Amino acid sequence: MKPLTKDTNILIVGLGVIGGSYARALSRQGYTVRCITKEQKDIDYALSLGMIKEGSTEVKAEFVQKADLIIFALYPHIFVEWIKEHQHLFAAGTLITDVTGVKSRIVYEVQSILRPDVEFIAAHPMAGRESSGVEYSDDRVFIGANYIITPTERNTPEAIEACKTLGEVLGFARITELSPEEHDRMIAFLSQLTHCIAVTLMTCNEAPMMEQYTGDSFRDLTRIAKINDAMWSELFLLNREALLEQMDAFANEFDRFRTLLKIGDSDGMRETMRRATARRILFDKPQKSN
């Protein structure tokens, strides 16, 4: 497996908002990027902005065989089916990676069916947009964001290093490693639970004309409620056990805070708020100096 250099030929499969953001960042850095995606209009858009060198709506053997690195930005079940159907096209030594939001149910399956002369190193860019589609892609979302690599015992140090380099090229501020299981437990809380809260907050009160009265706090808290229902329902079900555990923990903590309010325990509420404030500060992205 070759290290990631400017001579690396990169193929992106799935040119949506994340695949498109990868294409923008990599092309801006001088890499040769091709894509395979469903819609010709998305290819035309990417070509018009110089995001890719070439694109195809078909699984073009030439594109796959030329690629040293293939980035899969597909729904999990489509990613697995793609590997089953088209892995015979990979050149020996090809490195593949992904952007999938759930790992345990995907990584081991793909690695178990993958040819031994091709390596899959999984990764999760912790950045995105609430809108879907390549026209909403923006590589600036990677700046200051986190990038999680989820290697297994099947991965080589060279593949892990190449994946780290990819994260650096894309502009991520912090690159870390977790096992697929650790990743899924963490993501159940940090990403999936927050989307569940945003969705249910938007649906628990449907009084008319509320949008005329809201402030920024409600808009900020529910930004991610504008959700891709097909993708997120699949991710929730793939990580159901871990997500249910986090939903229960949240419900218990919410109920505890409700009790403090019900009994008029101002000190207890204020202590909870102080703990929340102190912890929230840890999540602020570092500001770049001029």
Side-chain angles (χ1 to χ4, degrees):
M1 198 223 71
K2 303 174 185 176
L4 188 65
T5 69
K6 290 293 176 67
D7 295 326
T8 301
N9 283 299
I10 298 174
L11 174 64
I12 297 175
V13 182
L15 201 67
V17 65
I18 295 297
S21 298
Y22 271 51
R24 287 178 186 268
L26 292 165
S27 292
R28 197 189 308 278
Q29 293 290 331
Y31 289 86
T32 299
V33 180
R34 296 178 177 86
C35 84
I36 295 172
T37 198
K38 288 195 305 182
E39 300 290 341
Q40 183 62 43
K41 65 179 178 60
D42 294 337
I43 294 171
D44 294 340
Y45 178 86
L47 286 169
S48 72
L49 296 179
M51 294 164 55
I52 59 173
K53 179 179 179 179
E54 297 178 279
S56 174
T57 58
E58 304 294 331
V59 179
K60 201 169 183 177
E62 178 189 358
F63 283 12
V64 180
Q65 291 161 0
K66 276 184 178 179
D68 304 302
L69 171 66
I70 304 179
I71 300 162
F72 286 91
L74 302 172
Y75 288 7
H77 75 281
I78 298 175
F79 174 34
V80 174
E81 290 304 314
W82 202 103
I83 296 298
K84 289 178 179 178
E85 188 172 349
H86 301 296
Q87 66 166 305
H88 66 280
L89 297 175
F90 295 143
T94 300
L95 180 67
I96 68 174
T97 188
D98 71 333
V99 302
T100 308
V102 171
K103 297 305 183 190
S104 298
R105 295 278 300 276
I106 302 301
V107 174
Y108 298 115
E109 181 175 5
V110 171
Q111 288 185 336
S112 70
I113 63 176
L114 194 61
R115 285 167 35 193
D117 59 345
V118 176
E119 186 167 353
F120 171 41
I121 175 69
H124 186 185
M126 293 298 293
R129 304 292 290 271
E130 62 271 21
S131 300
S132 58
V134 68
E135 64 271 23
Y136 295 104
S137 62
D138 183 354
D139 56 315
R140 290 173 297 182
V141 300
F142 302 146
I143 306 302
N146 297 321
Y147 184 77
I148 305 173
I149 302 171
T150 58
T152 73
E153 60 183 13
R154 292 184 180 228
N155 287 122
T156 62
E158 292 80 11
I160 296 170
E161 191 59 36
C163 199
K164 287 181 180 178
T165 302
L166 175 62
E168 292 167 0
V169 169
L170 291 168
F172 286 93
R174 185 182 295 109
I175 299 170
T176 54
E177 293 181 38
L178 292 174
S179 71
E181 293 81 8
E182 290 170 329
H183 167 276
D184 288 355
R185 287 193 293 270
M186 194 70 67
I187 292 308
F189 175 70
L190 291 172
S191 178
Q192 296 182 340
L193 175 64
T194 56
H195 282 79
C196 290
I197 292 169
V199 166
T200 53
L201 188 56
M202 287 303 311
T203 58
C204 72
N205 186 334
E206 298 187 17
M209 301 176 66
M210 291 183 70
E211 67 277 3
Q212 297 187 21
Y213 316 121
T214 188
D216 286 343
S217 59
F218 187 83
R219 279 190 288 265
D220 290 346
L221 192 58
T222 58
R223 174 183 62 82
I224 56 175
K226 294 189 290 185
I227 195 167
N228 181 331
D229 57 285
M231 180 183 76
W232 282 98
S233 60
E234 180 174 348
L235 294 174
F236 290 168
L237 289 169
L238 285 170
N239 203 30
R240 175 164 35 191
E241 185 176 336
L243 178 55
L244 286 171
E245 183 178 326
Q246 294 303 325
M247 291 175 82
D248 289 343
F250 175 77
N252 290 337
E253 182 65 8
F254 191 88
D255 188 59
R256 187 188 70 83
F257 195 80
R258 183 183 184 281
T259 299
L260 293 174
L261 174 62
K262 184 177 182 179
I263 65 177
D265 188 346
S266 175
D267 289 342
M269 288 192 295
R270 292 183 63 187
E271 171 58 24
T272 302
M273 292 175 187
R274 286 193 293 267
R275 286 195 297 116
T277 298
R279 183 145 179 77
R280 178 61 182 80
I281 290 170
L282 301 176
F283 287 75
D284 289 335
K285 291 182 180 180
Q287 299 297 313
K288 287 192 171 183
S289 58
N290 293 327

